[in-house]
Amino acid sequence: GIPFSVSESCVITGLAPDGTYEATLKTKGPTGWTDFSPVSMPLKLSMFKPPAPGSPILEPVSQNSIRVLYAVPVRCTYVKIFLRAYGGQWQAVDATSKLLVDDAGVGGRC
Protein backbone atom coordinates (compact mmCIF):
# COMPACT_ATOMS: atom_id res chain seq x y z
CA GLY A 1 0.00 0.00 0.00
CA ILE A 2 0.85 3.67 -0.11
CA PRO A 3 2.43 5.00 3.11
CA PHE A 4 0.54 7.84 4.79
CA SER A 5 1.67 10.32 7.42
CA VAL A 6 -1.15 10.90 9.90
CA SER A 7 0.69 13.51 11.96
CA GLU A 8 0.21 16.46 9.62
CA SER A 9 -2.25 19.22 10.49
CA CYS A 10 -3.09 22.78 9.54
CA VAL A 11 -4.90 25.32 11.74
CA ILE A 12 -7.09 27.60 9.63
CA THR A 13 -8.10 30.88 11.27
CA GLY A 14 -10.51 33.70 10.50
CA LEU A 15 -13.52 31.47 9.87
CA ALA A 16 -17.12 32.48 10.57
CA PRO A 17 -18.08 31.12 14.03
CA ASP A 18 -21.54 30.09 12.78
CA GLY A 19 -20.19 28.42 9.61
CA THR A 20 -20.17 24.77 8.67
CA TYR A 21 -17.02 23.61 6.92
CA GLU A 22 -15.68 20.65 4.94
CA ALA A 23 -12.15 19.97 3.74
CA THR A 24 -10.44 18.15 0.90
CA LEU A 25 -6.85 18.20 -0.20
CA LYS A 26 -4.39 17.42 -2.97
CA THR A 27 -0.77 16.42 -2.62
CA LYS A 28 2.13 16.80 -4.99
CA GLY A 29 4.82 14.20 -5.53
CA PRO A 30 7.51 13.45 -8.10
CA THR A 31 4.91 12.76 -10.80
CA GLY A 32 2.71 15.82 -10.14
CA TRP A 33 -0.51 16.61 -8.33
CA THR A 34 -2.96 13.96 -7.13
CA ASP A 35 -6.72 14.02 -7.48
CA PHE A 36 -8.69 15.57 -4.61
CA SER A 37 -9.04 13.44 -1.47
CA PRO A 38 -12.47 12.31 -0.30
CA VAL A 39 -14.30 15.17 1.44
CA SER A 40 -14.19 15.30 5.26
CA MET A 41 -17.27 15.08 7.43
CA PRO A 42 -18.81 18.56 7.85
CA LEU A 43 -17.95 20.46 11.03
CA LYS A 44 -20.24 23.15 12.43
CA LEU A 45 -18.13 25.58 14.46
CA SER A 46 -21.08 26.74 16.59
CA MET A 47 -21.18 23.18 18.00
CA PHE A 48 -17.54 23.46 19.18
CA LYS A 49 -17.01 22.56 22.81
CA PRO A 50 -13.45 22.49 24.16
CA PRO A 51 -12.25 19.05 25.25
CA ALA A 52 -12.47 18.23 28.94
CA PRO A 53 -9.22 18.17 30.92
CA GLY A 54 -7.69 14.87 31.95
CA SER A 55 -8.38 13.35 35.37
CA PRO A 56 -6.41 15.12 38.09
CA ILE A 57 -3.97 13.21 40.28
CA LEU A 58 -3.72 13.94 43.99
CA GLU A 59 -0.36 13.85 45.74
CA PRO A 60 0.17 14.26 49.51
CA VAL A 61 2.40 17.20 50.49
CA SER A 62 1.95 17.24 54.28
CA GLN A 63 -0.55 16.09 56.92
CA ASN A 64 -2.96 18.86 55.92
CA SER A 65 -2.21 19.66 52.27
CA ILE A 66 -2.27 17.98 48.87
CA ARG A 67 -1.00 18.87 45.42
CA VAL A 68 -3.38 18.56 42.46
CA LEU A 69 -1.57 17.55 39.28
CA TYR A 70 -3.46 18.06 36.04
CA ALA A 71 -3.14 18.37 32.28
CA VAL A 72 -5.25 20.87 30.38
CA PRO A 73 -6.17 21.24 26.71
CA VAL A 74 -3.67 23.26 24.66
CA ARG A 75 -5.80 26.40 24.31
CA CYS A 76 -6.79 26.57 27.98
CA THR A 77 -6.88 30.10 29.39
CA TYR A 78 -8.53 29.53 32.78
CA VAL A 79 -8.73 26.70 35.35
CA LYS A 80 -11.18 26.07 38.19
CA ILE A 81 -10.18 23.36 40.67
CA PHE A 82 -12.75 21.74 42.91
CA LEU A 83 -12.08 19.41 45.84
CA ARG A 84 -14.23 17.44 48.25
CA ALA A 85 -13.80 15.01 51.07
CA TYR A 86 -14.63 11.58 49.64
CA GLY A 87 -18.42 11.53 49.03
CA GLY A 88 -18.88 15.09 50.34
CA GLN A 89 -19.85 18.40 48.74
CA TRP A 90 -17.62 19.98 46.08
CA GLN A 91 -15.82 23.17 47.07
CA ALA A 92 -13.86 25.48 44.82
CA VAL A 93 -10.18 26.18 45.43
CA ASP A 94 -9.39 29.89 45.62
CA ALA A 95 -6.64 30.58 43.06
CA THR A 96 -4.90 33.14 45.29
CA SER A 97 -5.09 31.69 48.80
CA LYS A 98 -5.23 28.01 47.71
CA LEU A 99 -7.96 27.48 50.34
CA LEU A 100 -11.32 25.78 49.85
CA VAL A 101 -14.18 28.24 49.41
CA ASP A 102 -17.90 27.92 48.77
CA ASP A 103 -17.84 30.38 45.85
CA ALA A 104 -17.69 28.40 42.59
CA GLY A 105 -16.76 31.56 40.68
CA VAL A 106 -13.06 31.46 41.58
CA GLY A 107 -10.30 30.20 39.39
CA GLY A 108 -6.98 31.09 37.87
CA ARG A 109 -5.08 31.22 34.60
CA CYS A 110 -3.46 28.11 33.18
Side-chain angles (χ1 to χ4, degrees), residues 58-70:
L58 303 179
E59 177 182 273
V61 174
S62 70
Q63 288 184 332
N64 66 351
S65 62
I66 63 171
R67 176 177 292 114
V68 180
L69 304 166
Y70 54 91

Side-chain angles (χ1 to χ4, degrees), residues 3-106:
F4 286 94
S5 171
V6 295
S7 63
E8 300 297 322
S9 68
C10 174
V11 175
I12 302 168
T13 61
L15 303 175
D18 59 345
T20 300
Y21 297 93
E22 298 175 306
T24 186
L25 58 100
K26 289 179 140 192
T27 60
K28 185 177 181 182
T31 59
W33 285 97
T34 63
D35 292 334
F36 280 102
S37 70
V39 176
S40 69
M41 295 292 296
L43 175 70
K44 187 172 185 177
L45 282 179
S46 64
M47 301 297 291
F48 174 74
K49 182 178 178 184
S55 297
I57 298 171
L58 303 179
E59 177 182 273
V61 174
S62 70
Q63 288 184 332
N64 66 351
S65 62
I66 63 171
R67 176 177 292 114
V68 180
L69 304 166
Y70 54 91
V72 296
V74 174
R75 293 184 299 265
C76 173
T77 58
Y78 203 76
V79 172
K80 287 185 180 182
I81 298 175
F82 297 85
L83 187 74
R84 69 179 177 185
Y86 185 71
Q89 296 289 347
W90 289 108
Q91 289 183 280
V93 177
D94 180 79
T96 304
S97 70
K98 308 298 188 228
L99 297 172
L100 295 178
V101 294
D102 291 326
D103 179 9
V106 300

